[in-house]
Amino acid sequence: MSNALRALFEFLFKYRPLVFAKGELALGAPWPVLAIVVLGAAAIAPAVLSYRRSQGKTTPRDRMVLRALRVAALAVLVLCLARPILLLSEAVPRRNYVGLLLDDSRSMRIGDRGDRRRADFVRDSMLGDRGSVIASLRRRFQVRTFAFGGETHVLESSDTLAFAQRESRLTDAMEQARQSLDAVPLSALVVVSDGADNTRAPLADELVALRGKEIPVFTVGVGAERFGRDVEISRVDAAREVLAGSALAVDISVRQTGFRGATLPLLVEDERRVIAHGEVSFTRDGDAQQVRVGVPLTQPGLHVLTVRVAPQPHEQVAENNAQPLLVRVRGGREKILYVEGEPRYELRFVRAAVDADSNVQLVTLLRTADQKFLRLSVDDGNELAAGFPVSRAELFKYRAVVLGSVEASFFTRDQLQMLADFAAVRGGGVLFLGGRRAFGEGGYAGTPLADAMPVVIEGTALPDSLTFLADLRATLTPAGLSHSATQLGDAAAPAERWRALPAVTTVNRIRRLKPGAVTLVSGATPPDGRAGAPGETVRGYVQPILAYQRYGRGFTAALPIQDSWTWKMDASIAVDDRMFETFWRQLLRWISSESPGRVQAELAPDQVNKGRAVEVHAVVTDSNYQRLNDAPVVAHVEAPSGAVRDVPMEWVVDRDGEYRGAFTPDELGAHTVRVEAHAGTALRAADTVVVRVADLDDEFVGAEMRGDLLRRIADETGGRFYTPATVGRLADDIALTKRGVTVVNRLDLWDMPAVFLLLIGLLGAEWTYRKARRLA
């Protein structure tokens, strides 16, 4: 309701709409209601009878209209004699408490109210010496004031408000204020904030508690709900751990207002050094654009990357133009199992591509003849001595599996199921290569691996003479443009680089993908190419060259071509071109990058402000990657100073294999958390994660006033939402909450201007009607 309508309502009906909403209607006449009814009937009856007897010049319609107007006027008079009143419970002055919560965080320094900051409203309008909101509250209530941000404390003096806290834990603040005032008659809580809330606990839980206690929360929103001009990096997502030499795919969400049609550069920095860049274009105001940038990481260790957009002219908030990203680059070698069913060039060139890579160990099992195998890059003479692994423990020690041109009948049913479980249960990556004994041509339809593959396997195995053959030229899809597996070194324009590659061939007819699969590289037959089985020609043939899907804890990928080595040996490829080597090194890193160990530890969050609690989560499994319950698990936390403390991890009894613990770091810098699972006194397995403690600017992400959140808090607790323009009614509204010590007031309604105007209107209408009809 606008201010003008509100003023008009109050003029006509004496009281504000909220008074009618909170009050109860009653009659205040000293005599019984029956006597009033009888008196009304006695007054109305003569008027009705007089018009029935009076004929004269009047028509039946005239008499009906005049009778109705006269009866309505008399009814209004009778109602006034009954003295209608409003029974209103109102807080007894100075007998009840109000908790006033003031946002003391850094976002309150934002100047989005002309030349005034949000903090200026709190100091001047809320806490000023004269005419302030707190002064009106103190005339009616005992007021206890709290300042909140990352911590909540009682505010003894407004001079201590610094608006310097780096978090706004709004939910925690309401909970602490409610508990602090639990022993006194509490009328309401008042929250003065821009609505920022960095609390990880669900807001709904606290609102349920407030409703259960019947404590209304009145919220005062400070700041603009929409900035006029601002760019914000609202979210940055990437793997928290990668193998050295990998290209990290960083997904960035950029939100803006006032920059429609602009294209801005995105920078990724490592220790103030730019290591990757991209750009973001905005088509409409208020849109959030998603951008993926590939970031090369070669040096092992902890890297604090910064994703940044340079501050723009006249931007209202510059602190939200950058977001930190914590990435741990691990050294060592990833052990990958490559199973090949026949000697072929693909195997030779793939092994040559990664032979000099110190971070990839490509253990190979090559079938050279029936029941004869060649083992390459094994650790000792016992590894793969009996052929393909027959136990889960033996297979699951690898980080990824590559299946070449090998038919399904080479494996037992249990081995096929183990391969599917390698992705679904162990969480590893499985890559399926093309070949005459692969996919549908290899008889995989109807096997457990058919369910795991990202492509649909149809048909039965085909003899070599009927094998399908197609030429394919590669094209990057939008999803593959910045994917880590498709980054070709220093190529400035990866899409053009892929299109320039020579055509490859496939003997595997892939008709469609699974619903959840994603194509990274698509292939199409060039105009002078071929596609089809012998005697068949397929025009415009298209199929994926590289696709993947999530499968259980891990994922599977398909590369259904038989000669990717053409990208190395074709006459159009320069001798010193390293594209083929780069592609295969990135591909093998990708399929092994997400494979967890037997202990998988995570931190929530992995970057915090000093003094903020960190939750440690861990999943513990045995050698078969079956989840272990009630195992001895402990987290060793090493601070930057070298101090070490042990954090016990408790089993989450309703979740198999999951353990939780928490600690509060008290030093700035990187804290190393090593989670160990034991079997008796022996170490079973371990995982290491890192949390960074720093002065973060999360407070400025989503820094516009969150009116929806504040309105929800008020609506769900029975309070009201205000802006600086409407907050003057706050004290009067809280007095009507019926909370604490109250008194019932009787407010007369019979003398409302609306009643007088209604009576004058009815009598005037009767007189006007008579004049118009010449009946007077």
Side-chain angles (χ1 to χ4, degrees):
M1 183 182 293
S2 67
N3 290 335
L5 287 177
R6 189 177 291 108
L8 178 62
F9 186 95
E10 192 167 345
F11 168 74
L12 292 175
F13 299 99
K14 289 180 60 178
Y15 311 111
R16 294 178 294 127
L18 183 63
V19 172
F20 286 90
K22 297 292 186 179
E24 298 179 5
L25 287 173
L27 297 178
W31 44 80
V33 175
L34 180 60
I36 297 173
V37 173
V38 172
L39 179 62
I44 293 172
V48 173
L49 294 176
S50 65
Y51 279 111
R52 174 173 294 183
R53 291 194 300 265
S54 176
Q55 301 291 328
K57 300 178 181 180
T58 60
T59 65
R61 188 184 69 175
D62 294 335
R63 291 192 294 274
M64 182 181 66
V65 171
L66 294 171
R67 185 186 304 122
L69 292 171
R70 181 65 60 85
V71 169
L74 291 172
V76 170
L77 289 173
V78 172
L79 181 62
C80 290
L81 291 174
R83 292 199 62 183
I85 59 173
L86 200 62
L87 299 178
L88 188 67
S89 294
E90 194 167 3
V92 176
R94 305 286 296 165
R95 293 284 300 277
N96 299 287
Y97 281 76
V98 165
L100 177 61
L101 289 81
L102 302 177
D103 193 337
D104 191 31
S105 64
R106 296 175 68 213
S107 63
M108 296 295 285
R109 297 179 178 181
I110 295 173
D112 56 357
R113 304 180 65 240
D115 59 348
R116 301 187 67 206
R117 304 181 307 164
R118 298 171 180 179
D120 295 334
F121 166 77
V122 175
R123 291 191 184 280
D124 299 341
S125 299
M126 294 299 301
L127 304 176
D129 294 332
R130 299 181 60 185
S132 66
V133 174
I134 196 170
S136 64
L137 287 172
R138 284 174 174 163
R139 284 193 291 270
R140 289 175 173 267
F141 305 97
Q142 299 287 338
V143 179
R144 188 169 296 176
T145 307
F146 302 84
F148 74 91
E151 305 292 339
T152 302
H153 62 272
V154 175
L155 186 67
E156 302 294 347
S157 170
S158 61
D159 294 336
T160 61
L161 278 175
F163 304 102
Q165 297 199 51
R166 290 186 171 271
E167 294 179 315
S168 293
R169 303 181 69 82
L170 177 55
T171 302
D172 290 349
M174 291 189 295
E175 169 67 11
Q176 292 185 41
R178 177 175 64 83
Q179 292 181 359
S180 176
L181 297 169
D182 193 49
V184 299
L186 180 62
S187 288
L189 295 178
V190 178
V191 175
V192 183
S193 172
D194 54 19
D197 186 16
N198 307 124
T199 311
R200 291 193 299 272
L203 173 64
D205 293 347
E206 176 59 20
L207 295 183
V208 168
L210 289 166
R211 285 199 303 270
K213 293 282 189 177
E214 296 184 348
I215 300 174
V217 179
F218 292 76
T219 57
V220 182
V222 185
E225 291 195 68
R226 182 181 176 89
F227 288 147
R229 190 172 173 84
D230 185 59
V231 178
E232 172 188 281
I233 296 181
S234 55
R235 189 179 180 89
V236 176
D237 287 321
R240 294 299 188 257
E241 184 176 290
V242 295
L243 186 64
S246 299
L248 177 70
V250 180
D251 292 311
I252 307 165
S253 179
V254 186
R255 195 167 63 97
Q256 56 77 36
T257 53
F259 289 88
R260 182 178 61 181
T263 297
L264 303 179
L266 272 172
L267 303 178
V268 181
E269 302 172 353
D270 186 3
E271 300 295 335
R272 299 182 181 274
R273 179 175 58 91
V274 177
I275 59 174
H277 58 83
E279 61 180 28
V280 55
S281 299
F282 305 112
T283 56
R284 293 186 303 176
D285 252 1
D287 278 356
Q289 299 293 328
Q290 309 300 319
V291 182
R292 173 172 282 186
V293 177
V295 180
L297 294 170
T298 57
Q299 296 299 318
L302 186 67
H303 294 254
V304 181
L305 307 182
T306 302
V307 181
R308 186 187 307 279
V309 173
Q312 302 301 305
H314 310 296
E315 227 186 317
Q316 289 182 265
V317 182
E319 291 86 349
N320 58 10
N321 287 47
Q323 282 269 28
L325 176 64
L326 191 66
V327 180
R328 184 166 171 259
V329 181
R330 65 177 183 273
R333 304 189 76 187
E334 300 285 31
K335 200 170 184 180
I336 301 173
L337 175 61
Y338 183 177
V339 182
E340 185 57 78
E342 58 184 341
R344 58 176 184 156
Y345 286 122
E346 189 78 340
L347 170 63
R348 172 187 168 186
F349 280 95
V350 169
R351 285 190 54 82
V354 301
D355 186 56
D357 191 335
S358 61
N359 297 117
V360 174
Q361 179 184 354
L362 192 62
V363 178
T364 303
L365 181 66
L366 169 63
R367 182 176 60 186
T368 57
D370 188 28
Q371 299 301 317
K372 293 185 178 181
F373 300 94
L374 176 65
R375 297 175 294 151
L376 301 172
S377 301
V378 294
D379 290 336
D380 54 47
N382 294 323
E383 186 172 3
L384 302 178
F388 188 82
V390 295
S391 70
R392 293 164 66 100
E394 185 182 1
L395 177 63
F396 286 6
K397 70 182 182 181
Y398 298 99
R399 302 275 294 186
V401 175
V402 180
L403 292 185
S405 181
V406 56
E407 67 278 6
S409 59
F410 171 79
F411 305 100
T412 66
R413 184 79 180 182
D414 288 343
Q415 288 173 326
L416 289 170
Q417 186 61 58
M418 280 197 317
L419 282 166
D421 289 345
F422 185 87
V425 178
R426 189 246 186 274
V430 181
L431 174 64
F432 302 95
L433 304 183
R436 59 181 183 157
R437 295 187 175 98
F439 296 101
E441 290 73 13
Y444 282 92
T447 69
L449 272 186
D451 295 333
M453 290 181 184
V455 297
V456 176
I457 303 300
E458 300 173 319
T460 57
L462 299 175
D464 291 345
S465 60
L466 299 179
T467 297
F468 173 85
L469 181 65
D471 297 321
L472 298 174
R473 191 174 295 278
T475 302
L476 270 186
T477 66
L481 191 60
S482 299
H483 196 277
S484 61
T486 59
Q487 302 306 299
L488 304 181
D490 297 329
E496 288 74 11
R497 183 75 171 87
W498 275 93
R499 278 197 294 267
L501 293 174
V504 291
T505 63
T506 180
V507 293
N508 306 109
R509 193 166 196 161
I510 306 298
R511 290 177 171 82
R512 54 198 174 98
L513 294 176
K514 297 281 181 63
V518 177
T519 299
L520 300 177
V521 182
S522 180
T525 301
D528 58 346
R530 55 193 168 171
E536 176 192 22
T537 300
V538 180
R539 302 291 183 186
Y541 181 73
V542 176
Q543 79 166 47
I545 287 180
L546 179 59
Y548 77 97
Q549 72 168 2
R550 302 300 309 181
Y551 189 71
R553 290 183 71 191
F555 70 96
T556 60
L559 185 71
I561 57 176
Q562 63 174 351
D563 51 2
S564 68
W565 55 267
T566 304
W567 296 333
K568 175 68 176 177
M569 297 303 295
D570 190 84
S572 64
I573 302 296
V575 175
D576 59 350
D577 192 321
R578 306 291 295 173
M579 174 268 162
F580 178 77
E581 289 84 352
T582 301
F583 169 67
W584 269 101
R585 290 181 182 185
Q586 297 288 20
L587 183 61
L588 293 177
R589 279 173 164 77
W590 171 50
I591 65 172
S592 63
S593 62
E594 298 183 20
S595 300
R598 288 167 52 191
V599 173
Q600 184 180 14
E602 292 182 354
L603 301 176
D606 64 352
Q607 298 189 76
V608 296
N609 287 297
K610 184 178 178 181
R612 181 58 50 216
V614 177
E615 295 180 1
V616 185
H617 301 263
V619 176
V620 179
T621 60
D622 61 15
S623 59
N624 292 323
Y625 280 78
Q626 298 297 317
R627 297 194 173 199
L628 283 175
N629 295 332
D630 206 19
V633 180
V634 64
H636 304 289
V637 181
E638 182 178 357
S641 64
V644 178
R645 60 174 141 168
D646 292 342
V647 177
M649 303 281 288
E650 300 292 336
W651 171 41
V652 183
V653 294
D654 59 341
R655 302 184 70 86
D656 288 339
E658 293 192 16
Y659 298 78
R660 291 179 186 170
F663 69 99
T664 301
D666 52 8
E667 295 182 30
L668 293 175
H671 296 245
T672 302
V673 182
R674 178 177 169 84
V675 179
E676 296 180 352
H678 295 266
T681 59
L683 177 65
R684 184 190 299 271
D687 190 19
T688 300
V689 287
V690 178
V691 59
R692 173 176 173 252
V693 182
D695 293 330
L696 304 177
D697 285 327
D698 292 349
E699 178 70 10
F700 293 98
V701 177
E704 295 165 321
M705 191 264 284
R706 301 179 189 178
D708 290 343
L709 175 68
L710 296 174
R711 289 184 182 92
R712 178 190 171 193
I713 293 173
D715 291 343
E716 293 194 19
T717 59
R720 293 173 68 84
F721 170 77
Y722 303 87
T723 64
T726 62
V727 73
R729 296 280 193 180
L730 176 62
D732 293 337
D733 293 348
I734 295 176
L736 305 180
T737 59
K738 301 181 182 179
R739 285 279 305 169
V741 182
T742 62
V743 63
V744 177
N745 293 325
R746 298 162 60 93
L747 306 180
D748 284 331
L749 300 178
W750 65 270
D751 57 350
M752 294 187 300
V755 174
F756 176 74
L757 293 175
L758 177 60
L759 185 59
I760 295 299
L762 291 171
L763 295 176
E766 181 181 355
W767 183 83
T768 302
Y769 189 85
R770 287 178 176 276
K771 284 294 185 181
R773 298 288 293 171
R774 298 180 180 178
L775 301 176

